[in-house]
Amino acid sequence: MDLHCFLCWGVALLLLLMPCGHQCLSVRILNQEPVYVIPGSSLVLRARIEQGPLEEISMISWERESETGVDPGKVTLATCPGSSLKCAGTRPNVRANAEQKETTLQIDGYSSTDSGVYAVTLTDHKGAETTAHCIVRMYEAVHHVSVSINVSHSLLVCGEAWGTEPHFSWLYERVAITKTVGSVSKDGTTLLVTMTPFCGHFTCVVSNKLGYSSATYTATPCETEGRGTTAAVVCLVVLLLLGGVLAFLLWRRHRHSSRGERLHEHLDDTI
Ligand SMILES: *[C@@H]1O[C@H](CO)[C@@H](O)[C@H](O)[C@H]1NC(C)=O
């Protein structure tokens, strides 16, 4: 009898210590939200299952509905019924897997119609349900890059329409921005131009996993020192050439006239 009582107390204590008693079936999607998927690649969602010792899962199901709520239909993608939790996808490109502590959903050849709010629902042996959600969107290429100027503050602002995870960088005359040109804001979208005069070509390049796109702001042309030097060198070369030609002409004329004199002398001699 003593032993029986001891066991009773033991079980009671165990139930007290367990944080959720026997109602703690829960599920959590491990992917970071929102999940962006490149078209044609595979989407893999993983969910962690927390389960009390007295609970049994009778069903796991994966579903999807539209994110905007315009199309209210809920589509069942896969179900894993029974205690064996053998999963079956509703389409050829959908696979699911379920184990004691984890369930996964994989969709191959992802397309825009696969975007939406994904839900994984666990049903316990009493019919109680618990659900976790995750937003999934298509990974979009960079679109419509533009550069605008804020004249009063010498700022160039780069914009992009709807590309996923855009990364901004700047070039001046096709070379990365240096401190002599200006400074780029932390998020990369703004370039504070500190060079004077404000001249030349400023290019904003926006890139992501699918490629890049760029736009250029053209300020007034630069009157650089380099150009001045080139002009001086060209002038000098022209002057030298002219001088050379002149010297050559003079020398030829001089030679002709002296030969003429000698010819005269010769004629005089024969006569
Ligand atoms: C220019 O930039 C400054 C500082 O960021 C801002 O306060 C101002 O409104 C901007 N002007 C225009 C025309 O966008």
Side-chain angles (χ1 to χ4, degrees):
M1 190 190 114
D2 268 346
L3 182 70
H4 184 225
C5 214
F6 179 76
L7 279 178
C8 283
W9 277 108
V11 168
L13 200 68
L14 210 67
L15 284 176
L16 268 177
L17 286 177
M18 270 190 302
C20 46
H22 51 92
Q23 259 304 313
C24 76
L25 187 62
S26 72
V27 63
R28 182 166 57 91
I29 291 179
L30 300 175
N31 302 63
Q32 206 173 8
E33 247 193 318
V35 178
Y36 288 104
V37 190
I38 291 173
S41 70
S42 296
L43 161 69
V44 179
L45 292 177
R46 289 172 62 218
R48 170 70 38 85
I49 299 168
E50 304 281 356
Q51 189 179 1
L54 303 176
E55 277 176 318
E56 256 179 67
I57 299 169
S58 64
M59 169 79 106
I60 296 175
S61 69
W62 285 92
E63 292 161 311
R64 184 193 67 230
E65 56 190 328
S66 96
E67 192 181 341
T68 52
V70 174
D71 170 24
K74 219 181 219 183
V75 180
T76 301
L77 300 164
T79 50
C80 316
S83 53
S84 67
L85 295 177
K86 275 256 180 298
C87 299
T90 57
R91 286 151 202 225
N93 66 330
V94 176
R95 275 181 284 162
N97 187 41
E99 283 164 22
Q100 207 62 19
K101 293 211 168 297
E102 195 170 290
T103 173
T104 58
L105 176 78
Q106 179 168 341
I107 295 183
D108 296 322
Y110 188 91
S111 73
S112 60
T113 53
D114 293 315
S115 298
V117 181
Y118 281 71
V120 56
T121 301
L122 308 187
T123 310
D124 72 6
H125 57 291
K126 289 190 206 128
E129 289 185 349
T130 175
T131 303
H133 296 96
C134 181
I135 294 171
V136 178
R137 295 179 184 147
M138 197 168 80
Y139 197 98
E140 300 269 6
V142 170
H143 281 91
H144 306 313
V145 177
S146 64
V147 178
S148 56
I149 183 165
N150 180 329
V151 180
S152 56
H153 291 75
S154 296
L155 288 173
L156 290 175
V157 182
C158 188
E160 190 276 336
W162 62 74
T164 305
E165 297 167 346
H167 175 261
F168 295 82
S169 59
W170 292 85
L171 304 174
Y172 178 64
E173 303 296 358
R174 300 190 190 177
V175 179
I177 295 288
T178 58
K179 273 186 187 146
T180 52
V181 176
S183 56
V184 178
S185 66
K186 210 164 194 183
D187 65 355
T189 57
T190 309
L191 170 66
L192 172 63
V193 180
T194 50
M195 67 179 276
T196 46
F198 193 144
C199 66
H201 301 89
F202 299 85
T203 305
C204 171
V205 182
V206 186
S207 59
N208 70 8
K209 284 182 194 168
L210 292 178
Y212 68 90
S213 185
S214 68
T216 297
Y217 176 80
T218 305
T220 52
C222 292
E223 292 298 333
T224 58
E225 268 179 53
R227 243 181 247 180
T229 317
T230 315
V233 168
V234 167
C235 275
L236 200 69
V237 168
V238 167
L239 276 176
L240 280 174
L241 277 175
L242 278 176
V245 167
L246 205 68
F248 176 72
L249 286 176
L250 282 173
W251 170 75
R252 240 181 65 165
R253 213 173 126 194
H254 179 71
R255 220 179 69 164
H256 264 278
S257 53
S258 55
R259 239 174 89 189
E261 270 166 33
R262 255 186 277 146
L263 214 64
H264 255 292
E265 280 166 23
H266 195 68
L267 274 173
D268 287 347
D269 287 352
T270 48
I271 288 168

